[in-house]
C-alpha cells in the first residue's frame, strides 16, 4: 500500500492491471509532499464502431445501454466500473478517474443504430457503466446530442447519474417526458458531506442532488432515487433520512444496491478505507464480507447486488419501511415504444 494521499481523488493507488506486461508503483514521498500531490485528468478521443450494447446481466432490468465515456471523473472509490478500464489498457485505480476516453461520435453511432432495419424500439440506458453527466459533459455535450437523437426517433431512454448537470438538459427531458419516453434516476450514497468528498470526490453534493430530484419532479419528468451503494458500517445509517428527503423532493420510488467489489476494484476500495476510515476498517470489511457469504466478491447474479445474511436483511427491512412510509400510491409511468419511427418504418408505412 502506498503511503501517499492524493487530494481530490477517490482512488489512492495505481496498480498493475490484469492485461499489463509490466508492473510499477509510486515512489514513497515525504509527509510534507502528500497533500500537494496532484494528478491532472487526461481526455483521449476514441472511435468505437458501435455505441448501443446489449445488457446480458440479470441484475439490470434493461436490454441495452450506451456509454459516451469510459472512465469517470467522479472518482468514486467503490465504483464497479473501475473493473472495465483494464480492457482499454489502463488500470482500475487512479487511471480510471484521470484517463477518460471520450466517444465524440456516439450520437452518430446511435442514429445509425436506431435507423437500422433490425432495430425495434426498446428503452436504452444512459449509461450503466460510467456517468453520462460526469464533469467533462458540460463542455462536450455528447449526452445531450444523444438525447436529441432519441427525441428525433422517439425511442425511450432511462438515465442514471450522480450529477446535477442533468438539469442542463431539462428542455429535452421535458419533451421526452411529455411523450412518456424517459425515466431518470439520481444516485445518492450519503447525507454526510465529509464522507462524500472522500468517497466520491467529484460528484454533486447531497444538497444539489436533492435539488435535481426536485426540479425534475417539478417539470413532470419521472425521477427515482437509487441509494447506492450501501456500505454496511459506513453509510447504512443514512437510508431513512435519504428516503424521506427524496420523497419530499418528488421522487416516485427508491431502490438500493449493496457494495460489491469485483476483481481489481477490491484493492482500490480497501486502500481507500484504510487511509480514510482507519478506525472502521475491520468493522466495514467484516460486514461487507458478511453480506456476501463470507467473501468480498460475490459473482452470483441477483444476490451480488442485494447481498444475504442479517446485515443485508436489515438493510432490506429499512428499504421496505421507507417505501411504505414515503412512497405509497406513487406510480411510475410506463415508457412507450409505439411512437418510434425511423426511415425504414416510414418507408414501410407507404405501402
Amino acid at each position: 500500500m502506498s503511503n501517499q494521499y492524493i487530494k481530490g481523488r477517490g482512488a489512492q493507488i495505481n496498480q498493475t492491471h490484469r492485461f499489463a506486461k509490466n508492473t510499477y508503483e509510486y515512489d514513497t514521498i515525504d509527509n510534507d509532499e502528500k497533500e500537494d500531490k496532484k494528478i491532472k485528468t487526461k481526455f483521449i478521443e476514441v472511435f468505437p464502431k458501435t455505441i448501443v450494447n446489449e445488457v446480458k446481466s440479470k441484475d439490470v432490468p434493461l436490454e441495452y445501454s450506451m456509454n459516451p465515456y469510459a472512465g469517470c471523473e467522479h472518482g468514486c472509490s467503490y465504483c464497479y466500473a473501475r473493473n472495465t478500464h483494464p480492457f482499454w489498457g489502463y488500470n482500475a485505480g487512479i487511471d480510471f478517474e484521470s484517463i477518460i476516453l471520450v466517444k465524440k461520435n456516439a450520437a452518430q453511432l446511435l442514429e445509425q443504430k436506431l435507423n437500422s432495419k433490425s432495430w425495434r424500439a426498446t428503452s436504452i440506458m444512459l449509461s450503466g457503466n460510467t456517468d453520462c453527466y460526469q464533469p467533462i459533459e458540460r463542455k462536450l455535450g455528447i449526452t445531450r446530442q444523444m438525447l436529441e437523437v432519441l427525441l428525433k426517433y422517439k425511442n425511450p431512454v432511462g438515465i442514471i447519474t450522480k450529477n446535477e448537470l442533468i438539469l442542463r438538459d431539462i428542455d429535452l427531458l421535458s419533451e421526452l417526458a411529455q411523450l412518456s419516453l424517459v425515466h431518470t434516476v439520481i444516485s445518492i450514497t450519503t447525507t454526510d458531506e465529509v464522507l462524500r468528498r472522500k468517497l466520491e470526490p467529484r460528484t454533486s453534493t447531497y444538497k444539489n442532488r436533492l435539488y435535481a430530484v426536485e426540479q425534475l419532479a417539478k417539470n413532470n419528468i419521472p425521477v427515482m432515487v437509487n441509494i447506492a451503494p450501501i456500505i454496511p458500517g459506513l453509510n447504512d445509517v443514512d437510508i431513512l433520512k435519504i428516503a424521506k428527503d427524496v420523497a419530499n423532493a418528488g421522487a416516485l420510488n427508491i431502490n438500493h444496491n449493496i457494495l460489491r467489489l469485483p476483481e481489481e476494484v477490491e484493492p482500490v476500495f480497501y486502500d481507500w478505507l484504510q487511509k480514510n476510515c482507519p478506525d472502521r476498517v475491520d468493522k466495514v470489511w467484516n460486514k461487507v464480507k458478511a453480506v456476501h457469504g463470507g467473501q468480498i466478491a460475490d459473482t452470483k447474479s441477483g444476490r451480488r447486488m442485494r447481498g444475504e445474511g442479517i446485515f443485508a436483511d436489515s438493510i432490506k427491512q429499512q428499504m421496505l419501511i421507507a417505501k411504505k412510509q414515503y412512497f405509497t400510491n406513487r406510480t411510475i409511468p410506463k415508457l412507450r415504444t409505439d411512437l418510434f419511427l425511423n426511415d425504414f418504418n416510414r418507408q414501410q408505412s407507404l405501402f
Side-chain angles (χ1 to χ4, degrees), residues 78 229-232 257-261 269 288 291-292 296 304:
Y78 53 76
I230 294 177
I231 307 170
N257 294 327
I258 294 283
L259 175 73
R260 64 184 185 94
L261 301 169
F269 182 76
V288 171
V291 299
H292 291 303
I296 290 297
R304 63 181 179 174

Side-chain angles (χ1 to χ4, degrees), residues 66-81:
M66 49 191 177
N67 297 277
Y69 306 99
C72 188
E73 295 174 86
H74 282 160
C76 304
S77 60
Y78 53 76
C79 183
Y80 65 86

Side-chain angles (χ1 to χ4, degrees), residues 195-222:
L195 176 59
R196 182 202 61 80
R197 284 195 297 270
K198 296 177 179 179
L199 187 64
E200 38 187 45
R202 299 187 179 189
T203 58
S204 294
T205 64
Y206 179 62
K207 179 180 178 181
N208 286 346
R209 284 187 241 188
L210 284 181
Y211 179 73
V213 173
E214 181 181 47
Q215 291 304 306
L216 290 167
K218 282 185 175 180
N219 284 273
N220 298 314
I221 299 164

Side-chain angles (χ1 to χ4, degrees), residues 31 182 271:
N31 289 337
V182 66
D271 178 75

Side-chain angles (χ1 to χ4, degrees), residues 56-72:
K56 297 181 180 180
S57 173
K58 296 179 181 178
D59 298 313
V60 182
L62 285 173
E63 294 183 67
Y64 298 95
S65 69
M66 49 191 177
N67 297 277
Y69 306 99
C72 188

Side-chain angles (χ1 to χ4, degrees), residues 44 70 75 89 95 111 141 181 188 202 234 264 279 286-287 300 317-318:
I44 301 173
D95 279 1
E111 184 156 21
L181 292 174
I188 298 177
R202 299 187 179 189
L234 196 61
E264 285 149 290
D279 58 327
N286 289 332
K287 283 189 173 184
K300 186 174 178 59
Q317 287 303 312
Q318 289 185 67

Side-chain angles (χ1 to χ4, degrees), residues 291-321:
V291 299
H292 291 303
Q295 57 187 357
I296 290 297
D298 186 356
T299 59
K300 186 174 178 59
S301 294
R303 187 179 65 195
R304 63 181 179 174
M305 303 292 281
R306 297 304 171 117
E308 60 182 359
I310 57 173
F311 296 123
D313 288 344
S314 173
I315 290 167
K316 181 180 179 181
Q317 287 303 312
Q318 289 185 67
M319 291 295 295
L320 290 174
I321 291 170

Side-chain angles (χ1 to χ4, degrees), residues 235-255:
N235 68 340
D236 46 340
V237 296
D238 290 335
I239 294 173
L240 293 177
K241 167 65 172 169
I242 293 173
K244 180 179 180 180
D245 288 349
V246 301
N248 289 338
L252 298 178
N253 199 5
I254 53 172
N255 284 297

